[in-house]
Amino acid sequence: MSSTATGCWFVVLPDAEFPPGLVARLRDRAADEVPHASGRPWLLGSWTATGRMALARAGRRLLALFGEASVPSAALRVRLKKVRALTDLESALAGVHGSFHVAASMAGHGYVRGSASGTRRLYRTEIGGVTVCADRARTLAWLVDARPDTARIVAHLAAPQLPHPLAGASVWSGVEAVAPGDALRTEPGGRGHAAPWWQAPPAELPLAEGASALRDALCEAVALRARPDQVVGADLSGGMDSSSLCFLAAESGASLVTATLHWSAAGNEDREYARYAAERLPGAEPLEFVPEELPACFAGLDEPRPPLEEPSCLLRDRAIQRRLAGELRGRGAVLRLSGHGGDHVVVPPVSYLHGLLRRSPRAALRQTAGFRARGRWPLTATARMLLSRRSYSAWLTAARGHLREDAPVGETPDIWGTYPRLPAWASAQAVEQFGELLARAAERDDLPPASEAGRHARIHQMREAGRIAGLLYEAGAAADLPTHSPFCDDTVLNACLAVRPEDAGSPWSYKPLLAAAMDGLVPDRLLERTTKDHCGTEWHHGLRTHRRQLAAWADTSLLSAAGITEPRALRPAMLSPGLNTGGVAGLENTLGAEAWLREVAAHPEPEYLALRDPQEEPSIDTATH
């Protein structure tokens, strides 16, 4: 791989016996290994070259953090000395900020978790009766020779987003995602089970107190990455999210290089606001790009790259982002800051009004009136949302009947969100498969992650941001410039969740929580901006530019070969996107899924798992699977 960050991976093995050949197969690809106190292998993978793992030992106890963490190995050892059992672990890690995985081994018991935001994900599978977990689903899929799960690929075509618990699920048969906020515990003998390690803080803080906590959390998140001895690249749209990170990075003393895109749609204002911000960032080197200087959207469709963890809409500007990464890297940047997640983390979904009505009817009705006027909500739909008593399981069950509907025009409030819908070119088989996923999800007994609808919607919204942040990091690392999303750090998430939703969300102001947190640091003009630019013109131009390639995809579609899409409907959708009545999200998701399947086919073995010393590979005794 061209990037050591892309090649960073790990597998966690319980302190147990494994089928013959499994450990040897991993060792042939792993550059690093840490054993249990028993001497059996515990961690296998590749991380030393990135410096992204802190390891501590205290007697027969071991603790490792993978990723960006504010505690080095020496300080981690001090914390580990206070741990007598796995139940003490999270208390010992209190105050550690960043974005990281945690792994621990104690007296035959194991503990592994990712981040509550979902940026650092965790996956599991069963091999020979024991539980193995990893930071990448594809590592486990390779290990057990799994294939993509057709129904889960179908789910990635749905728009506007997947509901909990389908969002973030592994797309590989036999490989399961551990839910964000859960840890995987393994017992002596190797059996594993998931248990919660994270609980959302109570939403009790008023705006001023919550803004102070958010400012501290963001300062720590940015300072962890933007150090005085480093050149740091940063996106700068002139919006509140990216501007906040840039001013925090400048305050930390890092040498800042900013990248601003100037989309061509009439009325776009990014250039003006970004220049205003750059002029007030001490020592920053601003870079500006117009569409004519960049690859078109969807460029490089005929160049299958190693697949990301799951299908995504990042295909749209993949070539553009690689170009920007090259420009930033050429000026010395060692990483890139992205404002991704700001919208999702600091602003609660409007479904908080449902719970607010029960706590403070007057405040709820006043804010509802404001949202109704701004969003032109129908009176009937608004009343239905406020008075709804429908459970989340019932909502998931009802969603099955809406899969073929066109997306609603405008915002229609619902306490549990907008129903997922499949595009018109999805096959009847695909509709049935996705419906069965929804039905099985509705039967689960761990729904939803919060009992109050607004709380659930907010946590799910944050985790969707974290999921995309993980893909952004992976895609950036493939371009030799890892992309960090500080808004998706757990400490930032917790700071936002602790604020009363009626203070963090308002129909009369734009991102009031972030504006209050950045008051005095970011210029008022930037904090008062309420517009957001888009690349719709470039999106359509990119599809027109690559019509020939899209036609070839339609004729040889792997989605159609799998029975997921109807060929006669898919071709006109790809070649005449302006005629699609379901909006652009369904088409983008379809292209992302098609590209992902092609990339998996072109790279049947993950490149980061290439044999270090090519020779005959040991086999695993599959009879024990």
Side-chain angles (χ1 to χ4, degrees):
M1 296 295 285
S2 60
S3 169
T4 55
T6 306
C8 183
W9 60 279
F10 66 85
V11 171
V12 185
L13 303 177
D15 197 353
E17 295 293 336
F18 283 93
L22 182 144
V23 173
R25 192 177 185 207
L26 285 169
R27 279 177 171 154
D28 282 345
R29 287 157 168 79
D32 303 295
E33 179 177 348
V34 178
H36 288 282
S38 66
R40 292 191 180 108
W42 174 41
L43 305 175
L44 284 162
S46 179
W47 57 78
T48 299
T50 66
R52 295 176 60 246
M53 196 266 260
L55 176 66
R57 304 173 188 268
R60 298 179 63 82
R61 291 162 288 160
L62 298 100
L63 176 60
L65 304 185
F66 294 90
E68 285 68 46
S70 61
V71 55
S73 295
L76 189 63
R77 185 171 183 272
V78 174
R79 291 172 178 263
L80 179 58
K81 288 180 177 179
K82 303 176 183 177
V83 175
R84 293 292 173 263
L86 291 179
T87 52
D88 304 329
L89 193 57
E90 292 301 335
S91 296
L93 292 173
V96 179
H97 57 270
S99 179
F100 50 86
H101 287 89
V102 176
S105 173
M106 299 181 190
H109 296 265
Y111 180 96
V112 193
R113 64 137 169 115
S115 59
S117 70
T119 303
R120 303 287 175 183
R121 301 194 68 84
L122 188 67
Y123 302 91
R124 60 179 291 180
T125 193
E126 305 299 317
I127 303 177
V130 297
T131 303
V132 180
C133 63
D135 63 327
R136 302 192 189 204
R138 199 172 184 214
T139 304
L140 299 180
W142 163 81
L143 197 58
V144 300
D145 196 25
R147 296 291 181 265
D149 185 293
T150 302
R152 295 177 185 178
I153 299 297
V154 170
H156 278 274
L157 270 61
Q161 66 178 12
L162 282 173
H164 172 83
L166 302 183
S170 161
V171 291
W172 299 93
S173 298
V175 177
E176 300 297 329
V178 178
D182 281 0
L184 186 66
R185 294 172 176 262
T186 54
E187 307 297 332
R191 288 289 184 179
H193 67 278
W197 70 269
W198 175 84
Q199 185 174 6
E204 299 173 345
L205 298 183
L207 183 63
E209 191 174 345
S212 177
L214 174 58
R215 181 170 178 142
D216 290 343
L218 279 173
C219 283
E220 291 173 341
V222 173
L224 180 62
R225 286 127 169 139
R227 297 172 181 172
D229 59 343
Q230 290 183 332
V231 178
V232 172
D235 298 334
L236 179 58
S237 69
M240 198 183 297
D241 304 333
S242 65
S243 296
S244 296
L245 297 186
C246 285
F247 278 92
L248 287 170
E251 188 174 70
S252 74
S255 299
L256 196 62
V257 183
T258 64
T260 302
L261 295 173
H262 301 313
W263 304 121
S264 59
N268 277 359
E269 299 177 317
D270 276 359
R271 174 179 298 190
E272 177 186 351
Y273 280 100
R275 284 180 175 173
Y276 180 86
E279 290 169 357
R280 288 154 181 79
L281 286 167
E285 179 183 357
L287 305 179
E288 299 180 356
F289 302 91
V290 296
E292 293 76 16
E293 299 173 336
L294 298 169
C297 286
F298 302 104
L301 292 178
D302 56 346
E303 301 172 7
R305 297 183 174 92
L308 300 180
E309 271 297 288
E310 62 184 56
S312 79
C313 61
L314 300 184
L315 177 72
R316 173 208 304 180
D317 62 349
R318 182 173 62 182
I320 296 173
Q321 295 305 324
R322 289 184 72 89
R323 168 70 184 280
L324 297 184
E327 295 288 345
L328 294 171
R329 195 175 60 248
R331 287 158 175 81
V334 296
L335 59 86
R336 180 177 178 182
L337 296 178
S338 168
H340 167 77
D343 291 340
H344 304 76
V345 170
V346 302
V347 181
V350 295
S351 52
Y352 77 82
L353 296 169
H354 181 266
L356 182 61
L357 182 68
R358 285 135 187 87
R359 297 191 303 273
S360 180
R362 180 177 297 181
L365 293 175
R366 181 173 179 269
Q367 290 206 358
T368 299
F371 280 115
R372 268 201 73 209
R374 194 180 75 179
R376 299 182 179 181
W377 293 353
L379 179 59
T380 302
T382 304
R384 187 186 304 119
M385 184 265 287
L386 290 176
L387 302 176
S388 176
R389 294 185 178 181
R390 182 163 56 169
S391 69
Y392 187 59
S393 292
W395 181 87
L396 283 173
T397 301
R400 188 172 186 177
H402 294 267
L403 296 180
R404 280 295 197 190
E405 293 180 355
D406 287 340
V409 178
E411 187 175 16
T412 303
D414 189 293
I415 61 169
W416 298 114
T418 302
Y419 289 129
R421 291 168 169 84
L422 290 175
W425 47 89
S427 67
Q429 169 190 311
V431 174
E432 182 63 25
Q433 288 176 321
F434 188 35
E436 290 174 359
L437 285 181
L438 289 168
R440 288 198 296 270
E443 295 172 354
R444 291 176 49 158
D445 58 6
D446 58 347
L447 300 176
S451 57
E452 185 178 290
R455 191 74 159 163
H456 156 80
R458 191 169 191 194
I459 293 172
H460 181 61
Q461 175 176 283
M462 290 175 165
R463 287 178 172 168
E464 279 294 271
R467 181 175 64 85
I468 299 300
L471 295 175
L472 286 172
Y473 183 92
E474 187 181 358
D480 291 320
L481 192 68
T483 299
H484 295 253
S485 304
F487 278 104
C488 296
D489 281 9
D490 285 355
T491 49
V492 177
L493 179 150
N494 287 333
C496 293
L497 283 171
V499 181
R500 296 184 305 218
E502 62 268 30
D503 288 354
S506 169
W508 303 289
S509 59
Y510 186 64
K511 300 184 181 178
L513 176 58
L514 184 58
M518 295 293 104
D519 184 37
L521 176 67
V522 177
D524 290 345
R525 185 182 177 194
L526 299 173
L527 296 180
E528 293 166 358
R529 183 182 180 186
T530 60
T531 59
K532 185 181 290 289
D533 287 356
H534 64 86
C535 62
T537 301
E538 285 72 25
W539 188 87
H540 285 280
H541 171 73
L543 290 177
R544 290 193 301 269
T545 300
H546 299 100
R547 281 173 60 90
R548 180 173 298 179
Q549 182 63 43
L550 291 172
W553 273 24
D555 292 339
T556 59
S557 171
L558 296 183
L559 289 172
S560 294
I564 296 173
T565 55
E566 295 288 356
R568 286 180 294 181
L570 180 61
R571 183 181 177 91
M574 285 188 172
L575 301 184
S576 302
L579 301 180
N580 294 332
T581 59
V584 303
L587 180 57
E588 275 214 312
N589 291 346
T590 300
L591 291 173
E594 179 69 35
W596 189 84
L597 287 175
R598 290 173 179 269
E599 290 161 355
V600 169
H603 300 84
E605 181 175 292
E607 291 190 7
Y608 62 87
L609 291 176
L611 285 166
R612 292 187 298 117
D613 183 17
Q615 56 186 342
E616 183 177 352
E617 181 181 356
S619 60
I620 300 175
D621 183 0
T622 56
T624 59
H625 287 190

